[in-house]
Amino acid sequence: MSPQLRSRGESADGLSDDEIFDVLQNERRRYVLQYLRQHGGPVSLGDLADHVAAAEYNCGHDEVTSAQRKRVYTTLQQSHLPRMDEAGIVSFDDDAGVIATTPQTRELTVYLEIVPEGEFPWREYYLSFGAISLAIMVVLWVGVYPFTLIPTLVWGTVMAALLTVSALYHT
């Protein structure tokens, strides 16, 4: 669909904003997307249920009880995954118990930044990087020793290289 013909509120992948946010409003479905994003390829429903249960109950995979796993497995199989499959967000083969990504899975994760506990969010990293770079440039402009021992061009090159490496890693 061309951008001119795309209805207001519809993303480039064909899902409306309402459909996207409807899927993302449920924590269990967000955990599904997180797991698929981490593993990329097709995953088994059992492994996915283990991951989601561990995340929901805030425990390790080996600490998930069979009752907790079964509750998560059942709702994933009967409700969440068919809904996500119908929307084209994932590919769910119920007979084989396999979930795979689709092109829309990757597009949808743009809306979803899941930051594991203790990890620094990228938006804060780039904001900090920009603030530090600006502070260094001000210090150089004012002429504060010992920063002036290194030429301004070298500082600029180092900052540009760090930004490029960061963006490559992030990508």
Side-chain angles (χ1 to χ4, degrees), residues 91-110:
S91 173
F92 174 50
D93 183 349
D94 190 17
D95 295 330
V98 174
I99 303 93
T101 61
T102 67
Q104 290 184 357
T105 308
R106 191 170 281 184
E107 295 295 322
L108 190 62
T109 57
V110 168

Side-chain angles (χ1 to χ4, degrees), residues 7-58:
S7 66
R8 184 172 175 244
E10 188 173 307
S11 65
D13 55 15
L15 294 173
S16 71
D17 289 343
D18 289 341
E19 290 171 314
I20 291 168
F21 293 120
D22 182 54
V23 168
L24 294 179
Q25 77 179 353
N26 183 277
E27 183 179 46
R28 198 166 276 180
R29 291 191 289 263
R30 292 191 305 266
Y31 286 136
V32 167
L33 291 172
Q34 176 189 27
Y35 189 76
L36 289 171
R37 189 162 110 182
Q38 289 172 347
H39 289 83
V43 297
S44 74
L45 180 54
D47 289 344
L48 179 62
D50 281 337
H51 171 78
V52 172
E56 284 185 6
Y57 293 102
N58 198 25

Side-chain angles (χ1 to χ4, degrees), residues 52-129:
V52 172
E56 284 185 6
Y57 293 102
N58 198 25
C59 63
H61 292 275
D62 55 338
E63 299 170 18
V64 174
T65 67
S66 61
Q68 292 169 332
R69 182 182 184 278
K70 185 175 182 177
R71 274 193 294 270
V72 171
Y73 186 100
T74 302
T75 60
L76 285 175
Q77 183 182 39
Q78 294 177 356
S79 176
H80 299 295
L81 292 172
R83 185 174 190 173
M84 294 172 81
D85 181 68
E86 187 176 302
I89 294 166
V90 300
S91 173
F92 174 50
D93 183 349
D94 190 17
D95 295 330
V98 174
I99 303 93
T101 61
T102 67
Q104 290 184 357
T105 308
R106 191 170 281 184
E107 295 295 322
L108 190 62
T109 57
V110 168
Y111 293 87
L112 183 66
E113 182 181 345
I114 299 174
V115 181
E117 194 172 319
E119 187 175 310
F120 198 63
W122 282 104
R123 65 178 177 265
E124 291 178 23
Y125 171 82
Y126 287 115
L127 180 63
S128 300
F129 184 87

Side-chain angles (χ1 to χ4, degrees), residues 135-150 152:
I136 289 173
M137 294 311 293
V138 167
V139 164
L140 290 172
W141 183 65
V142 172
V144 175
Y145 182 85
F147 291 95
T148 55
L149 294 175
I150 300 173
T152 306

